[in-house]
């Protein structure tokens, strides 16, 4: 699966997913947030490094639509019916993986910001004794992509393989 992040003005971005399983997905706007690390890029890297199989991107790779809609209107209508009949059901494993992705992202980004000099201290909810060892690897991957993203001109893209 290829995930394409296209830089917009400020901290905005679009995200497109090209995958081999499931309906083709329409691109969508990302939630923005950080000038060096788009929110969805952080989650993709966290899930890759931590081996989170059923986070946002693992579910997309497996054919689920996640926060996206199919590009084809007929597929979109089918997906909407499926969501209504399925309700908010998610497997316990998927819920745990999504929670783990959020937790690790919530720790890794502040650790990265302190190391890069964007913040002076860690937030109160992150104590040095409670930083999981995998966070070091995640911070390294954030570093791999942060400067590339920041230097990217508006309208240009960064593609990451899942």
């Amino acid at each position: 699966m290829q995930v394409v992040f296209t830089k917009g003005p400020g901290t905005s971005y679009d995200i497109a997913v090209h995958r081999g399983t499931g309906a083709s997905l329409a691109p969508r706007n990302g939630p923005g947030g950080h000038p060096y690390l788009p929110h969805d890029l952080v989650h993709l890297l966290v899930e890759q490094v931590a081996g989170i199989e059923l986070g946002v991107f693992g579910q997309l790779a497996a054919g689920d639509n996640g926060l996206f809609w199919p590009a084809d209107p007929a597929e979109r209508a089918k997906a909407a019916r499926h969501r209504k009949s399925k309700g908010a059901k998610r497997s316990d494993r998927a819920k745990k993986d999504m929670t783990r992705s959020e937790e690790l992202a919530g720790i890794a980004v502040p650790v990265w910001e302190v190391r890069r000099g964007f913040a002076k201290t860690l937030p109160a909810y992150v104590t040095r004794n409670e930083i999981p060892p995998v966070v070091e690897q995640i911070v390294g991957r954030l570093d791999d992509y942060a400067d590339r993203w920041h230097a990217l001109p508006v309208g240009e893209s960064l593609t990451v393989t899942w």
Side-chain angles (χ1 to χ4, degrees):
M1 177 173 79
Q2 301 287 312
V3 184
V4 181
F5 297 89
T6 302
K7 193 169 189 176
T11 60
S12 69
Y13 63 94
D14 289 334
I15 180 173
V17 176
H18 307 287
R19 60 191 181 165
T21 302
S24 294
L25 300 173
R28 70 171 182 84
N29 296 109
H34 199 289
Y36 281 82
L37 295 166
H39 178 81
D40 292 308
L41 177 59
V42 169
H43 279 285
L44 188 150
L45 298 174
V46 163
E47 292 172 18
Q48 279 184 332
V49 172
I52 297 173
E53 295 178 7
L54 293 178
V56 171
F57 293 94
Q59 289 184 49
L60 286 171
D64 190 81
N65 295 336
L67 300 171
F68 289 80
W69 285 101
D72 179 330
E75 287 290 328
R76 190 175 305 143
K78 182 177 162 185
R81 286 191 304 274
H82 179 70
R83 281 186 186 193
K84 283 181 185 174
S85 69
K86 182 173 135 181
K89 280 187 175 177
R90 263 203 185 119
S91 73
D92 286 342
R93 169 77 188 277
K95 288 177 189 174
K96 287 178 185 175
D97 280 2
M98 295 288 280
T99 299
R100 184 72 174 147
S101 180
E102 290 293 340
E103 288 171 350
L104 288 173
I107 295 169
V109 170
V111 168
W112 177 83
E113 289 175 325
V114 167
R115 292 200 183 151
R116 290 291 297 260
F118 296 124
K120 292 188 186 292
T121 60
L122 293 171
Y125 69 87
V126 179
T127 64
R128 296 204 184 272
N129 297 341
E130 296 178 13
I131 297 174
V134 73
V135 168
E136 289 298 325
Q137 294 171 293
I138 294 167
V139 168
R141 288 296 300 278
L142 297 179
D143 256 343
D144 290 344
Y145 284 93
D147 290 326
R148 289 171 47 199
W149 177 258
H150 189 69
L152 204 64
V154 171
E156 295 292 317
S157 299
L158 177 69
T159 300
V160 182
T161 301
W162 172 262

